Amino acid sequence: MALTYGTIWGDFGDEKVTGTTKLHPFGTRMVLPDSRVFYYGQTDGAQTAGAICQSAVGVANHDMDLATNTASVGDKSVTVTVGGTAATEDQYAEGYLYINDGTGQGHNYKIRQHDAIDSSGSGAINLMDGDTIAVAFEAATIAGLAKNPYKDFIVFPTTATGHAVGVAPTDFDDDDYGWLQTWGPAAVLCDVAFVIGNAVRVSDNTAGSGEPLDRDASNENDVVIGTASLIAPVSTDYGYVNLTINP
């Protein structure tokens, strides 16, 4: 393998390697010789090959409107006060602190590390080297915490609680590290037969599966993962989809 600016140039078969040891930062990108693209993450729950996966569900007492300290330009640490749910140590490591309202709003910062934070308690969120506060906070500045989208990914539920992060190219055990495919041809679990040449969306009937997108139907706004490219599969089979989730 070779690594260039966060991208690994992999060999065929590398995408099927899973394990209990973390080998890369979350979100590391791997491109195979045929241009299929994969991103590195960790699963929360077992996954089967061909299942569509979603980012972890946000925590209501962590995801926005958290009081902050009056951080100054150049600071590498921000103190936040969470709601009535404790945060475990490094729950948001490699994730993001974003400013949702007040002075500095609209900025997004990469998290390096944080200690455990008690329910309704305060704690320091330490930013990644090179990322510092760009606009000074004021008393009214409030923030949210977001996990790295590839940390603790889950089977895509029938009602979205996050965004699509890829399709499992192999089976995962709970808490395994490995790769999710986001771009190029892939076998995808089918709920309703795909239509060749038409968009495929996540299913609202069977978790982790796909079905055709009908832009005149009630599900026209559901997440699109790609385009059906071969003969229509039947339900519970796996259809061939050209993924367009993340290049």
Side-chain angles (χ1 to χ4, degrees):
M1 289 185 180
L3 178 63
T4 305
Y5 298 114
T7 294
I8 287 175
W9 305 96
D11 297 320
F12 297 121
D14 286 346
E15 77 279 8
K16 299 179 182 70
V17 176
T18 65
T20 58
T21 300
K22 186 182 180 190
L23 301 177
H24 309 284
F26 292 128
T28 295
R29 178 176 179 262
M30 179 172 71
V31 182
L32 296 189
D34 60 0
S35 296
R36 283 180 292 160
V37 176
F38 301 80
Y39 284 79
Y40 191 75
Q42 183 182 29
T43 182
D44 179 10
Q47 309 286 348
T48 58
I52 305 168
C53 298
Q54 181 202 269
S55 56
V57 181
V59 178
N61 283 312
H62 299 170
D63 59 5
M64 69 184 311
D65 291 347
L66 306 183
T68 67
N69 67 321
T70 52
S72 300
V73 172
D75 282 357
K76 298 185 65 174
S77 180
V78 174
T79 298
V80 301
T81 301
V82 301
T85 304
T88 59
E89 181 179 1
D90 285 342
Q91 182 172 342
Y92 295 98
E94 299 187 52
Y96 302 93
L97 170 80
Y98 76 100
I99 311 307
N100 67 273
D101 199 8
T103 305
Q105 62 190 7
H107 285 82
N108 195 30
Y109 299 99
K110 184 76 171 181
I111 297 171
R112 177 179 60 82
Q113 181 274 338
H114 64 85
D115 294 336
I117 305 174
D118 292 337
S119 172
S120 301
S122 299
I125 303 298
N126 300 306
L127 304 182
M128 199 67 76
D129 291 346
D131 205 359
T132 60
I133 297 304
V135 176
F137 296 179
E138 295 182 351
T141 299
I142 50 179
L145 297 169
K147 279 188 178 181
N148 186 292
Y150 298 98
K151 180 179 182 180
D152 297 332
F153 62 81
I154 62 174
V155 173
F156 207 111
T158 55
T159 299
T161 52
H163 66 276
V165 289
V167 171
T170 191
D171 295 342
F172 288 78
D173 291 328
D174 185 23
D175 291 330
D176 267 357
Y177 297 95
W179 301 94
L180 289 176
Q181 185 175 352
T182 64
W183 198 263
V188 178
L189 178 61
C190 171
D191 179 37
V192 177
F194 306 155
V195 179
I196 300 174
N198 285 12
V200 176
R201 66 174 175 89
V202 295
S203 172
D204 60 339
N205 183 63
T206 302
S209 66
E211 61 181 86
L213 172 67
D214 183 349
R215 298 192 187 278
D216 295 325
S218 58
N219 299 103
E220 62 184 6
N221 292 323
D222 283 5
V223 178
V224 176
I225 64 162
T227 304
S229 58
L230 280 180
I231 187 171
V234 298
S235 180
T236 74
D237 276 3
Y238 291 76
Y240 216 48
V241 176
N242 187 45
L243 299 178
T244 54
I245 298 171
N246 199 6

